[in-house]
Amino acid sequence: MEIVVVIAAVVLALAAAGTIYRIAAGPSLLDRVIAADVLLAIFGAALAMEMALTRHTDNLALLVVISVIGFIGSVTVARFVAHRKEEA
Amino acid sequence: MDALLDVLTAICLLGGALMSLAAAIGLLRFPDLMSRMHAATKPQVLGLFLMLAAVGLQLRAWSLVPLLLVAWLFQLLTVPVSAHMVGRAGYRTKHRRPELLSTDELHDVVAAVVEDRDEA
């Protein structure tokens, strides 16, 4: 079980590194928004994995909050991008 | 029984982690916004489902299942909405690359709207 968790954690860390590179590299604002959304999903997966490993449910509320924040964030940025370009 | 549940948990954990890795590879390798969006939704829906299934399998309490379902259903409801908003904004602000599309079903509609506006 521990070996599986270590492997999964390494895989998640690689995935997080990839998304962070995409956030840094862009090329556009919307690419960064999508990558940030995926990074939040990876955080959620890590929180759930920690819950499964130590057998508690403390992080469940955090998971819901994370999905709310990701939703509000990307919708807000999407609206903002649309308005800026229409004025230009 | 315990060993079987542990094996199922391990499979769920590895599957969820690999979903995240697939999304990251998609984000790095795909050429434009629309195809990156397609890759991005995998860890958010299926990956989270596998991870929550692993939690349920380890805790072994039926009373927890509704809570896990709520956490997952919430993600399932919000992910398509935000993806739709991002895609709409991306199309309107010319983030698409037309040479990569096989069909552009929105093009005629948008062209008609622009024509109407120009005549008025």
Side-chain angles (χ1 to χ4, degrees):
Chain A
M1 195 65 200
E2 272 73 24
I3 303 168
V4 169
V5 170
V6 168
I7 294 172
V10 169
V11 170
L12 281 182
L14 280 176
T19 48
I20 288 171
Y21 173 78
R22 179 53 70 195
I23 292 175
S28 73
L29 180 62
L30 288 170
D31 287 311
R32 292 192 173 96
V33 171
I34 291 172
D37 233 19
V38 173
L39 190 59
L40 268 181
I42 294 172
F43 278 149
L47 284 174
M49 201 170 76
E50 198 263 342
M51 275 197 290
L53 180 66
T54 54
R55 300 190 178 183
H56 63 77
T57 55
D58 300 353
N59 293 343
L60 214 53
L62 263 179
L63 273 181
V64 178
V65 170
I66 274 185
S67 57
V68 180
I69 290 175
F71 171 65
I72 294 175
S74 34
V75 167
T76 312
V77 175
R79 288 305 296 174
F80 179 68
V81 171
H83 276 288
R84 278 295 291 269
K85 286 281 178 171
E86 275 166 17
E87 282 164 21
Chain B
M1 192 63 193
D2 263 13
L4 177 68
L5 286 180
D6 273 354
V7 169
L8 280 178
T9 309
I11 292 171
C12 285
L13 284 177
L14 284 178
L18 285 176
M19 284 295 150
S20 302
L21 190 64
I25 293 173
L27 281 178
L28 291 177
R29 297 282 301 156
F30 283 165
D32 70 334
L33 181 76
M34 299 301 172
S35 48
R36 279 181 198 143
M37 266 173 51
H38 148 75
T41 36
K42 262 123 216 106
Q44 296 182 334
V45 177
L46 187 55
L48 188 75
F49 173 73
L50 287 172
M51 286 299 188
L52 290 175
V55 175
L57 284 171
Q58 279 298 296
L59 287 160
R60 285 160 211 169
W62 284 111
S63 59
L64 198 65
V65 171
L67 265 175
L68 295 174
L69 262 183
V70 166
W72 184 61
L73 278 179
F74 200 81
Q75 189 84 348
L76 202 60
L77 286 175
T78 54
V79 162
V81 177
S82 60
H84 172 85
M85 296 287 291
V86 172
R88 182 172 177 275
Y91 191 93
R92 291 179 149 214
T93 54
K94 315 278 187 236
H95 280 98
R96 68 187 187 283
R97 288 166 60 184
E99 71 275 14
L100 295 175
L101 296 174
S102 50
T103 52
D104 187 350
E105 289 175 335
L106 266 178
H107 183 267
D108 294 341
V109 183
V110 173
V113 171
V114 169
E115 212 168 273
D116 277 0
R117 197 178 57 196
D118 288 346
E119 280 168 13

